[in-house]
Amino acid sequence: MTENGIQVNSEIGKLKSVLLHRPGAEVENITPDTMNQLLFDDIPYLKIAQKEHDYFAQTLKDAGTEVLYIENLATEAFDTSADVKKEFLNRLLVEAGYRQGKTFDALSEYFISMNTKDMVDKIYAGVRKKELDIKRTLLSDMAGSDAENYFYLNPLPNAYFTRDPQASMGVGMTINKMTFPARQPESLITEYVMAHHPRFKDTPIWRDRNHTTRIEGGDELVLNKHTVAIGVSERTSSKSIQALAKELFDNPLSTFDQVLAVEIPHNHAMMHLDTVFTMINHDQFTVFPGIMDGAGNINVFILRPGKGDEIEIEHLTDLKSALKKALNLSELDLIECGDGDPIVAPREQWNDGSNTLAIAPGEIVTYDRNYVTIELLKKHGIKVHEILSSELARGRGGARCMSQPIWRDEI
């Protein structure tokens, strides 16, 4: 794979290049007391999680996909200039709540003393207080002033879900304002990779992370060269969607002229649109029926360019009809997670049965544990690659969550 930049004009074009993060020491820095703060429901066993993630990566490689690791790209980006590395560290520490002073200086010197790859790994892992002997004399020296926190810099255990800090769209990317502080440093890393890595430095950025409104990549789906679907969710606001739509409609480098805003329940079980809905073929989608009300209705808003600076908004309440209209399809196949069974469907949705990664039209990767959904997908003609899932699934994300496409063939 030699192409520079981004090309993602669908959810289903053959996946040629993808961004992953291999789980590291950050996972072992989760404790029962910090699980909630770090957005985890359980603590994965790192050794097995790494084995499962390597199996996932190999599955993609066997299908002809180039696998890139964000930690390696970050290392290469920071190595382009000592000034770039220093600027990044300053911003990281400021965003962590530190002011100039003994703690700020000690942490900065600690990172600078490492080779760049070790520095990047340590940023993901977090810095425990016992690693540094810092005598703090001012409260202003402290980040958050939390005496019971074991860390000067918190770990980033969600980082193996590379879908969320950014989202590839067309030839560009959004670099996202993450909802929770536990994840916000991840998109700072993306910002520096996009700005300084030679492979990506000319990539258009549709929306950067320097906003007050939130958006995350699990809510951003590229349905075709003209249409994106974005979830109105726990982690993506309607204001972000409207602002992004305006940028996509106005930017001459963008081909997108339609945005489907899909309103889903705002809760931890259904945190992103891709946890309840994914595109797997030209006219086939997975869906969790629990996103619709008893009458089968769901709010879908189709945003299109209007007159002048206005955006036209059409409101529909039927997902199937909205997709058919937006994608100009006469028929489509909505495949229900867990076959729609009231017990099986929510169980398999919790284990990411709806969170599939298409690697080609009608060919997906998904967790092996969701066997009811898998058998149903096969009956609908889908080729399924099953990946291991006992530990990775504890983080609440599946194959799509763990991957950020960089390049897809056109369809």
Side-chain angles (χ1 to χ4, degrees):
M1 191 72 191
T2 59
E3 293 94 339
N4 285 343
I6 305 291
Q7 178 181 285
V8 177
N9 286 312
S10 75
E11 289 290 308
I12 61 172
K14 185 170 177 57
L15 185 61
K16 302 298 290 185
S17 185
V18 69
L19 188 66
L20 305 183
H21 171 69
R22 188 174 190 261
E26 63 272 7
V27 171
E28 293 192 322
N29 279 331
I30 307 169
T31 71
D33 289 339
T34 62
M35 280 194 302
N36 184 59
Q37 172 193 349
L38 295 175
L39 312 178
F40 272 71
D41 299 306
D42 202 350
I43 302 174
Y45 175 30
L46 178 60
K47 181 179 178 181
I48 302 302
Q50 289 178 326
K51 177 182 177 183
E52 292 173 353
H53 196 272
D54 290 344
Y55 186 95
F56 172 47
Q58 191 60 50
T59 299
L60 298 177
K61 292 174 184 176
D62 290 345
T65 302
E66 176 196 32
V67 171
L68 304 171
Y69 289 94
I70 182 67
E71 56 269 32
N72 294 337
L73 295 179
T75 299
E76 292 161 4
F78 297 144
D79 272 339
T80 59
S81 165
D83 290 340
V84 168
K85 185 190 295 188
K86 184 176 181 180
E87 179 189 273
F88 169 81
L89 290 172
N90 285 344
R91 287 189 58 190
L92 178 73
L93 295 178
V94 168
E95 291 191 14
Y98 289 104
R99 302 179 185 180
Q100 293 287 340
K102 289 185 178 180
T103 306
F104 185 103
D105 292 343
L107 285 167
S108 183
E109 290 169 8
Y110 182 53
F111 283 124
I112 290 293
S113 71
M114 303 175 187
N115 69 55
T116 308
K117 181 61 167 65
D118 289 343
M119 182 195 84
V120 170
D121 289 343
K122 176 54 66 174
I123 288 166
Y124 282 107
V127 179
R128 293 178 65 176
K129 288 181 177 176
K130 71 176 188 179
E131 295 177 52
L132 292 173
D133 182 18
I134 304 174
K135 292 180 174 62
R136 291 166 297 173
T137 57
L138 299 173
L139 284 178
S140 61
D141 234 6
M142 303 171 69
S145 189
D146 185 356
E148 294 186 358
N149 186 1
Y150 291 110
F151 293 89
Y152 284 122
L153 202 66
N154 288 329
L156 303 176
N158 296 277
Y160 71 90
F161 300 122
T162 54
R163 180 67 61 162
D164 302 320
Q166 65 282 307
S168 301
M169 287 184 176
V171 297
M173 178 173 276
T174 66
I175 302 176
N176 296 333
K177 168 70 173 179
M178 310 287 279
T179 302
F180 295 105
R183 300 207 64 182
Q184 288 168 0
E186 296 174 45
S187 61
L188 180 62
I189 295 170
T190 303
E191 179 181 315
Y192 275 78
V193 169
M194 290 298 115
H196 299 287
H197 196 286
R199 181 164 175 167
F200 301 106
K201 64 180 182 179
D202 295 323
T203 298
I205 304 301
W206 307 131
R207 178 181 172 85
D208 65 30
R209 65 193 292 274
N210 301 307
H211 291 81
T212 57
T213 54
R214 67 193 188 280
I215 187 169
E216 297 192 3
D219 283 312
E220 301 173 80
L221 282 68
V222 182
L223 303 186
N224 63 27
K225 203 165 189 174
H226 295 279
T227 309
V228 297
I230 308 179
V232 186
S233 71
E234 177 194 56
R235 303 193 182 186
T236 295
S237 70
S238 58
K239 288 183 179 179
S240 292
I241 295 171
Q242 292 183 62
L244 176 58
K246 187 72 169 63
E247 175 63 24
L248 292 174
F249 297 161
D250 291 349
N251 195 308
L253 297 176
S254 165
T255 60
F256 299 107
D257 52 23
Q258 234 178 177
V259 173
L260 272 67
V262 184
E263 195 173 271
I264 64 173
H266 293 199
N267 61 51
H268 183 55
M270 295 179 263
M271 66 185 82
H272 293 128
L273 181 61
D274 71 1
T275 66
V276 292
F277 172 81
T278 50
M279 185 175 190
I280 57 178
N281 207 345
H282 297 276
D283 56 358
Q284 290 178 297
F285 303 80
T286 65
V287 66
F288 173 54
I291 63 173
M292 292 169 260
D293 65 19
N297 295 324
I298 182 173
N299 286 320
V300 182
F301 303 88
I302 304 179
L303 284 65
R304 302 185 184 93
K307 294 181 180 178
D309 289 335
E310 295 181 358
I311 292 178
E312 293 181 356
I313 301 177
E314 180 181 3
H315 179 212
L316 300 173
T317 58
D318 182 83
L319 179 60
K320 196 168 189 177
S321 296
L323 289 168
K324 286 165 69 174
K325 184 171 189 176
L327 301 179
N328 195 27
L329 294 171
S330 58
E331 296 295 332
L332 60 81
D333 185 13
L334 284 181
I335 304 170
E336 292 190 343
C337 175
D339 204 12
D341 183 273
I343 300 297
V344 178
R347 185 189 75 235
E348 293 207 350
Q349 186 276 327
W350 179 260
N351 290 318
D352 299 292
S354 300
N355 189 259
T356 63
L357 171 67
I359 58 173
E363 184 175 357
I364 66 163
V365 178
T366 194
Y367 281 154
D368 59 358
R369 66 194 304 146
N370 298 307
Y371 54 88
V372 174
T373 303
I374 288 170
E375 287 308 308
L376 184 63
L377 288 166
K378 290 177 178 178
K379 288 178 182 177
H380 283 249
I382 303 300
K383 182 177 180 179
V384 180
H385 299 269
E386 300 178 36
I387 58 171
L388 307 173
S389 59
S390 70
E391 298 303 312
L392 291 176
R394 296 180 192 271
R396 302 291 302 114
R400 189 180 191 274
C401 289
M402 295 189 295
S403 58
Q404 178 58 244
I406 296 298
W407 198 280
R408 285 186 181 272
D409 283 349
E410 302 286 14
I411 56 172

